[in-house]
Amino acid sequence: MSERLLTPKEAAKILGVHPLTLYRWAKKGKIKYIETPSGRMRYPMSEIQRLLKLREKKQIERLYRVALYVRHVDEKRAQEILERLEKYSKDKEYIVVEKIIDTSGEICGKSEGMKKLLTLVKSRKIGKIIIPNKLAFSYFCFWVFEELFAAYDVVVEIAFPKEDKDSGYIEMLDWLIAFIQEHRERYPL
């Protein structure tokens, strides 16, 4: 019995791509095809299954590709936390793609560290973001970040969840200190 051959439309539907994308892949040699006597392309079911397995493997591998993200106003303390995250990631056998330290005191600011993290997420170079606790993003807005990254199939993993206990108060104090330092000339004591 010969192998089932799929039309471009059938194969594209299974793979979740446009038939034109499938055609381009075939012309680039990414997928094998058979040309009928009338010149039409047909795709062996084994090729479709191979691509599905490859996609699944890439998705699994992507889950192990991580970015470490630390936001702390004190650079020395941020470096200490980053070292703990590196050990945590090594123990979990993650592949660390990027280490980001964000020393901005802004709660939801447009910092360089956050821009770099968003670029990694949007380019789908990582599958997880490892943070020490919810305070790394914003204790009060954490769910927003979690939802945003989930839209790109990126999971936020909290390495040290027990440290979240007083994070909301700490964040408010950090913000207040940063605000006072930034505006001390305008509001002298």
Side-chain angles (χ1 to χ4, degrees), residues 162-179:
K162 291 181 182 174
E163 294 177 10
D164 273 336
K165 187 177 149 211
D166 296 321
S167 290
Y169 301 114
I170 293 168
E171 182 169 26
M172 288 307 291
L173 286 173
D174 283 347
W175 178 84
L176 186 58
I177 291 167
F179 179 84

Side-chain angles (χ1 to χ4, degrees), residues 89-171:
S89 297
K90 186 179 179 185
D91 292 346
K92 294 249 184 177
E93 298 182 1
Y94 290 147
I95 300 161
V96 177
V97 174
E98 189 83 43
K99 301 171 194 173
I100 302 169
I101 291 181
D102 194 342
T103 55
S104 74
E106 301 173 40
I107 291 178
C108 291
K110 203 173 187 180
S111 67
E112 289 304 311
M114 186 53 73
K115 287 180 196 174
K116 189 183 283 188
L117 188 61
L118 287 170
T119 300
L120 285 170
V121 169
K122 290 190 289 186
S123 65
R124 301 188 185 276
K125 291 184 178 174
I126 57 172
K128 282 187 184 176
I129 300 167
I130 311 297
I131 59 174
N133 51 44
K134 288 180 181 178
L135 183 59
F137 293 143
S138 168
Y139 189 78
F140 301 106
C141 303
F142 177 77
W143 70 273
V144 175
F145 287 100
E146 199 170 34
E147 289 288 319
L148 170 69
F149 297 136
Y152 288 93
D153 298 320
V154 174
V155 176
V156 177
E157 186 171 316
I158 301 170
F160 317 117
K162 291 181 182 174
E163 294 177 10
D164 273 336
K165 187 177 149 211
D166 296 321
S167 290
Y169 301 114
I170 293 168
E171 182 169 26

Side-chain angles (χ1 to χ4, degrees), residues 13-105:
K13 186 175 180 181
I14 292 170
L15 291 170
V17 298
H18 192 277
L20 188 56
T21 301
L22 200 59
Y23 174 80
R24 288 182 188 130
W25 289 353
K27 290 302 177 185
K28 288 181 181 177
K30 292 182 177 183
I31 183 171
K32 293 177 186 169
Y33 65 95
I34 294 170
E35 202 167 309
T36 66
S38 61
R40 299 194 186 270
M41 297 174 98
R42 295 295 181 257
Y43 300 93
M45 185 59 142
S46 61
E47 273 298 287
I48 305 306
Q49 290 170 336
R50 180 186 68 81
L51 285 178
L52 287 171
K53 285 179 187 172
L54 184 64
R55 179 188 293 161
E56 186 178 310
K57 182 181 175 193
K58 283 183 177 181
Q59 287 172 339
I60 290 169
E61 286 174 358
R62 191 170 153 246
L63 279 176
Y64 285 89
R65 298 177 58 78
V66 302
L68 308 181
Y69 182 80
V70 177
R71 183 176 67 91
H72 201 286
V73 289
D74 180 0
E75 195 163 338
K76 184 180 178 195
R77 180 73 181 117
Q79 191 61 47
E80 291 169 3
I81 296 168
L82 182 64
E83 288 170 11
R84 288 177 60 209
L85 287 181
E86 287 174 311
K87 183 185 179 322
Y88 174 87
S89 297
K90 186 179 179 185
D91 292 346
K92 294 249 184 177
E93 298 182 1
Y94 290 147
I95 300 161
V96 177
V97 174
E98 189 83 43
K99 301 171 194 173
I100 302 169
I101 291 181
D102 194 342
T103 55
S104 74

